[in-house]
């Protein structure tokens, strides 16, 4: 079951935290296994599954990164093992950074590359926040277009994460 439907709220990248918590506690009380101790095994199993679903839903929807991944998965824009199509200019920029990283000779050079990577990361985050803004009010066609932009930001962030890991590796050398 879709977590947003389970909580009876609209799909959103920015759901109200207090509302999520309220729904979680409401359903925690409703589906607490102790209240069904005298029921038959089938009913107890059903309640246990609903209680587990409630916990998973809250863990996912209350965490911004997990929520982002969840929504993208629900719309089949994030699949295990899939190779995303990143923009060629972004890939060229990352290749340039990687090449310069391999040639780093001192902490000054590393610092410049690190600052550049952090600036790119900030730009991607800004693009992501902009794409998520007002998502709930869009019609289905506009949502699909916006979701593609969000998925692009997500994949660029993931790629940049590998660059940041390389930066940390090189930083430990100095």
């Amino acid at each position: 079951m879709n977590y947003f439907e389970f909580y009876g709220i609209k799909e959103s990248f920015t759901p109200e935290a207090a509302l999520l918590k309220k729904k979680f506690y409401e359903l925690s009380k409703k589906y607490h296994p102790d209240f069904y101790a005298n029921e038959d095994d089938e009913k107890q199993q059903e309640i246990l599954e609903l209680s587990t679903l409630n916990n998973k839903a809250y863990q996912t929807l209350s965490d911004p990164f997990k929520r982002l991944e969840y929504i993208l998965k629900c719309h089949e824009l994030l699949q295990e093992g899939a190779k995303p199509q990143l923009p060629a200019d972004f890939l060229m920029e990352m290749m340039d950074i990687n090449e310069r990283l391999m040639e780093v000779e001192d902490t000054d050079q590393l610092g410049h590359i690190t600052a550049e990577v952090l600036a790119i990361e900030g730009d991607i985050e800004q693009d992501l926040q902009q794409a998520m803004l007002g998502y709930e009010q869009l019609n289905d066609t506009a949502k699909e277009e916006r979701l593609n932009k969000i998925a692009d930001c997500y994949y660029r962030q993931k790629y940049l994460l590998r660059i940041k890991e390389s930066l940390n590796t090189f930083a430990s050398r100095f």
Side-chain angles (χ1 to χ4, degrees):
M1 174 180 260
N2 181 296
Y3 294 159
F4 290 103
E5 291 173 7
F6 183 66
Y7 277 178
I9 60 176
K10 277 185 166 184
E11 181 179 89
S12 172
F13 288 99
T14 55
E16 190 180 320
L19 178 62
L20 283 177
K21 193 175 278 193
K22 178 183 175 193
K23 293 289 186 176
F24 171 71
Y25 285 127
E26 199 174 276
L27 294 175
S28 290
K29 289 178 187 175
K30 182 176 179 179
Y31 299 127
H32 197 284
D34 289 351
F35 296 136
Y36 296 88
N38 295 328
E39 297 288 337
D40 61 36
D41 289 345
E42 188 176 321
K43 182 69 173 178
Q44 286 182 17
Q45 185 61 36
E46 176 189 344
I47 294 301
L48 186 59
E49 288 170 11
L50 288 168
S51 178
T52 301
L53 178 63
N54 185 39
N55 287 322
K56 287 180 180 178
Y58 184 72
Q59 288 171 358
T60 300
L61 298 181
S62 62
D63 179 283
F65 185 75
K66 288 179 183 178
R67 182 173 53 241
L68 172 69
E69 284 187 328
Y70 178 74
I71 293 172
L72 291 176
K73 283 178 184 174
C74 285
H75 291 275
E76 299 177 0
L77 292 170
L78 183 64
Q79 297 168 349
E80 293 297 319
K83 291 279 186 184
Q85 291 287 46
L86 292 168
D89 59 336
F90 175 77
L91 292 173
M92 291 299 289
E93 189 175 16
M94 294 302 104
M95 191 170 76
D96 176 58
I97 288 172
N98 263 325
E99 286 174 3
R100 287 187 287 136
L101 196 52
M102 297 299 165
E103 298 169 1
V104 165
E105 295 178 3
D106 59 38
T107 55
D108 265 0
Q109 288 176 328
L110 186 63
H112 289 295
I113 295 171
T114 301
E116 186 178 342
V117 168
L118 292 175
I120 293 167
E121 182 180 43
D123 290 345
I124 295 170
E125 182 61 32
Q126 188 175 6
D127 290 348
L128 180 61
Q129 294 303 319
Q130 189 66 38
M132 291 189 302
L133 197 64
Y135 171 81
E136 301 81 13
Q137 286 77 38
L138 299 173
N139 65 37
D140 289 345
T141 305
K143 277 185 180 180
E144 186 177 336
E145 185 178 309
R146 196 71 71 87
L147 282 167
N148 286 320
K149 287 180 184 178
I150 291 167
D152 176 66
C153 290
Y154 171 83
Y155 282 118
R156 287 188 291 145
Q157 281 181 328
K158 292 290 271 190
Y159 195 99
L160 202 58
L161 185 61
R162 285 182 255 159
I163 301 283
K164 289 176 69 178
E165 289 169 355
S166 294
L167 280 169
N168 290 335
T169 301
F170 281 95
S172 67
R173 292 183 182 176
F174 298 108

